[in-house]
Amino acid sequence: MRDADDPRVGRYASSFADLMEMRAAAEDVERYLDRHEGWFRRCAAPMPVEPLGHNGYRLTLGRFGNFGFEVEPTIALELLPQSAGVYRIITVPSAGGEGSLDGLYDVEFNAALQLDQPEADLTLVRWQLDLSVWIRLPGVITLLPASLVQSSGEHLLRQIVRQISRRLTWKVQEDFHATYGLDCPPRRRAQF
C-alpha cells in the first residue's frame, strides 16, 4: 500500500516527542522497562492486547474516523531490547489480524525511548515517535479538496496520538511507581 499508485491512498505523517518523569534511579527504570510482558498489557488496557512472540504485541487502538469514514485500527508492535539505554518500538507484520481491514490501512511506527538521569532518584524517559499512516479512502472522499482531506487526516492523526500517548504515559508512570512503592509525580500536559 505504501508504494501504491492509487489516488485513493492518502499518507499522513507526523513526529511527536514527550517525556515521563520516573522518581527512581535509571537502573530501576531499566529493570521495569525490560520486563514489558507485565506492564505493557496492564498499561494498554482497556485497549485489547494480544502477545506476538516474545517481544511483540497486537494492539487495537479504538474507533476513529473523519468525514463519516471510520476504522478501528490494529497495529502490531515489537518492543526491541534495550541498546545503550535506548529502547525502540517498531511496527511488525501482524499475521492473523482482522481480514476485512487488509489493504485498508498501513502504519509505520518508529519510537525511541532514551533514559536521562539528572538526579540520583530521578529518571526522565524522553520519547520520540515518527508515525506514518497510509489509508485507502472511499472514493467519495476523493471528491473533496485534497488539501482539506490532507489537513483533516493529519489533524485526526495528532488527536489519536495525543489521546493514546497521554493515557499510556500516565498509566506507565502510575504502574511503575506503584510497582516500586513510590509517590507518582503529578500529571502534566503533553508537550505536543
Side-chain angles (χ1 to χ4, degrees), residues 116-127:
D116 177 22
Q117 187 174 344
E119 300 172 22
D121 288 330
L122 175 65
T123 301
L124 301 176
V125 180
R126 299 182 189 280
W127 63 264

Side-chain angles (χ1 to χ4, degrees), residues 30 34 79-88 112-115:
E30 287 175 357
D34 287 340
L79 283 68
L80 300 175
Q82 178 207 154
S83 175
V86 177
Y87 294 83
R88 297 200 181 281
L113 292 77
Q114 173 81 47
L115 304 185

Side-chain angles (χ1 to χ4, degrees), residues 10-23:
R11 179 182 180 266
Y12 308 96
S14 201
S15 295
F16 307 89
D18 206 351
L19 64 87
M20 288 187 287
E21 180 182 333
M22 304 299 215
R23 295 184 174 168

Side-chain angles (χ1 to χ4, degrees), residues 35-103:
R35 296 186 183 126
H36 56 78
E37 59 278 350
W39 64 262
F40 189 83
R41 292 181 79 170
R42 287 192 305 271
C43 296
M47 293 182 287
V49 177
E50 299 173 43
L52 292 173
H54 182 66
N55 292 323
Y57 301 91
R58 184 179 303 119
L59 185 66
T60 302
L61 303 179
R63 184 167 290 282
F64 300 96
N66 212 348
F67 297 120
F69 174 67
E70 289 191 347
V71 66
E72 189 171 30
T74 298
I75 185 171
L77 300 174
E78 183 174 6
L79 283 68
L80 300 175
Q82 178 207 154
S83 175
V86 177
Y87 294 83
R88 297 200 181 281
I89 305 171
I90 60 171
T91 44
V92 293
S94 176
E98 188 176 326
S100 65
L101 297 178
D102 289 346

Side-chain angles (χ1 to χ4, degrees), residues 153-166:
E154 289 176 356
H155 177 73
L156 180 61
L157 180 63
R158 284 189 301 275
Q159 283 184 313
I160 293 168
V161 172
R162 183 177 298 120
Q163 174 185 334
I164 292 173
S165 72
R166 288 313 306 154

